[in-house]
Structure formats: structure tokens, C-alpha cells
Amino acid sequence: DAGVIQSPRHEVTEMGQEVTLRCKPISGHDYLFWYRQTMMRGLELLIYFNNNVPIDDSGMPEDRFSAKMPNASFSTLKIQPSEPRDSAVYFCASSGQGRGTQYFGPGTRLLVL
Amino acid sequence: AQTVTQSQPEMSVQEAETVTLSCTYDTSESDYYLFWYKQPPSRQMILVIRQEAYKQQNATENRFSVNFQKAAKSFSLKISDSQLGDAAMYFCAYSTGRFQGGSEKLVFGKGTKLTVNP
């Protein structure tokens, strides 16, 4: 079975540009999580969905960040406009049941110049 | 809010020997899960082991085992017969249990970098 798929794996962009990160969860999983990893703050949750509905978006830093899950097999995290402080590794994870183990994708390394 | 503390930023071990990584957590909840994740240089987050708080028996997965001390809020990871491939960042993580309600997010510690010397 394919694991969680994320694209792109690497993204370099200039400040002010729009960035879209994509995630395909494991088939059959109904929970999807977006995490961000930085040296300063470590790993922290941005938002998560259950059955395509956002449940907890308390970690979304500001209005520049938005996330959608239009169907069970696809989610996007968008940053508009991007800023250098958004540079981080962004992980998507999915889980097949409530409080279940979360399986992580390979991450997207974002660098905003 | 729950917090997870890993007090050892770095650890090293000789190949074939045993090493223990420490983790403590703070919570007022009685129902929760604890995890150890491994992050090698590839950045992939890989589940190592999981423990349900209601289970008294310590979880084991091959060479990996935990020492779960609920009263002390301690959750250490023991790696036996260390191998070069065990070199990675190790993160301890906490999740609220299903009977507790609330957010299902993972709360992570800052990580411990493990070096395995040949």
C-alpha cells in the first residue's frame, strides 16, 4: 500500500508568492493532519480534518494560511503571501481511526527567500 | 495544555549496546496515548512504538521497548543491540485518549539526536 504522499518535496519561492502544498492520505483513512517543523518551535499541528471537515485549526498561524480537503483523497495547504518566516518542513499525516496512530508523509521542505 | 519534555538533546551509543532515551510529560488527563517516532536524515517520521495509558504492560517492538511510569509521567525508550540504522532524531509524542475528548493532535517533545558509533 502506498503511504501518505506529499508534493512537492522541495519548494523554493520568493517572498510574496503563493505556495500550495498537496497531500494524499492513505486510502481509507478519515483523519488528515498538517504539521510544521522548525528549529525554533519543533513539530506543531497546524490543522486537522475528520471526514473532510476541519476540526481543529487553532495552530494555523494567521490568515495567510489556509487548508482545504475537497475529498477524502486530497488536501492542500496554501500560504498567500509567503514570508521568509514560513520556511520550514511541512508534514501531512493520516490516521484510520480516532486516536489512532498517525502515519506521516515524507514532508515538503519550503524555503521562502 | 499538555507538554512533552525530552531532556537529552543528544545521546550516543556504541553499536550493539543499549541506550535509553528519556521523556516526561505533563497532563491532567487519565486517558491518553504516548508514542516514539524516529526521524532519520531523510526527514521521514517513522513510528517506533505506541503505548496506551490504560495498559499497565510496557509496549515492545523487537529491539525497542518502553518503560512507562504513569504516576511519574515518564515514558522512556530503550533500544537494545543498537544498529547503525538507529541513528536518527527521536521524538516523544502525546495524544489525548478517545474517552477524553478534545483535539486529536500529537504534541511532540523537542527531540533527542541519537548517534550510533561503530
Side-chain angles (χ1 to χ4, degrees):
Chain A
D1 281 341
V4 175
I5 298 171
Q6 290 187 247
S7 65
R9 294 291 307 276
H10 304 272
E11 177 82 20
V12 180
T13 191
E14 292 188 347
M15 183 175 63
Q17 297 297 306
E18 179 179 290
V19 175
T20 299
L21 311 182
R22 298 173 176 80
C23 175
K24 176 179 170 56
I26 293 171
S27 178
H29 282 189
D30 52 6
Y31 285 82
L32 184 139
F33 303 81
W34 283 100
Y35 291 90
R36 180 171 67 175
Q37 184 177 32
T38 61
M39 289 295 292
M40 290 294 293
R41 299 176 65 89
L43 276 153
E44 52 185 354
L45 179 83
L46 297 175
I47 186 171
Y48 81 89
F49 297 83
N50 177 216
N51 291 323
N52 312 336
V53 177
I55 303 299
D56 181 357
D57 65 354
S58 58
M60 295 288 265
E62 49 200 89
D63 291 345
R64 296 184 298 106
F65 285 69
S66 62
K68 294 181 180 179
M69 192 165 185
N71 58 62
S73 59
F74 184 66
S75 177
T76 60
L77 178 68
K78 188 173 293 187
I79 309 172
Q80 167 62 20
S82 58
E83 297 182 2
R85 59 193 169 118
D86 302 330
S87 298
V89 180
Y90 291 81
F91 286 101
C92 176
S94 71
S95 172
Q97 56 184 322
R99 320 296 170 178
T101 297
Q102 296 181 23
Y103 296 91
F104 284 73
T108 295
R109 181 181 289 275
L110 173 65
L111 177 61
V112 183
L113 302 173
Chain B
Q2 296 78 30
T3 58
V4 177
T5 302
Q6 293 179 249
S7 59
Q8 307 153 316
E10 295 189 23
M11 292 281 286
S12 64
V13 64
Q14 290 297 126
E15 197 175 3
E17 299 202 338
T18 296
V19 64
T20 298
L21 309 183
S22 300
C23 172
T24 59
Y25 57 95
D26 187 24
T27 184
S28 59
E29 299 171 340
S30 58
D31 180 32
Y32 51 88
Y33 300 96
L34 296 164
F35 305 83
W36 280 98
Y37 279 87
K38 168 185 176 181
Q39 187 178 40
S42 66
R43 291 200 317 268
Q44 179 79 46
M45 293 289 288
I46 302 165
L47 177 70
V48 175
I49 201 163
R50 161 185 160 134
Q51 175 82 43
E52 287 85 355
Y54 66 87
K55 290 186 177 178
Q56 301 223 352
Q57 187 172 7
N58 289 324
T60 63
E61 286 289 340
N62 301 313
R63 298 183 295 106
F64 298 87
S65 62
V66 298
N67 183 5
F68 173 47
Q69 301 288 328
K70 191 171 184 178
K73 297 180 182 176
S74 170
F75 182 61
S76 60
L77 174 70
K78 186 172 83 170
I79 306 173
S80 303
D81 185 26
S82 297
Q83 300 176 1
L84 295 177
D86 296 333
M89 284 289 289
Y90 285 82
F91 292 94
C92 180
Y94 173 103
S95 172
T96 301
R98 67 186 65 188
F99 300 112
Q100 202 77 43
S103 179
E104 302 191 26
K105 67 182 179 184
L106 288 172
V107 177
F108 287 91
K110 294 295 187 186
T112 297
K113 182 179 180 181
L114 178 67
T115 300
V116 181
N117 300 310

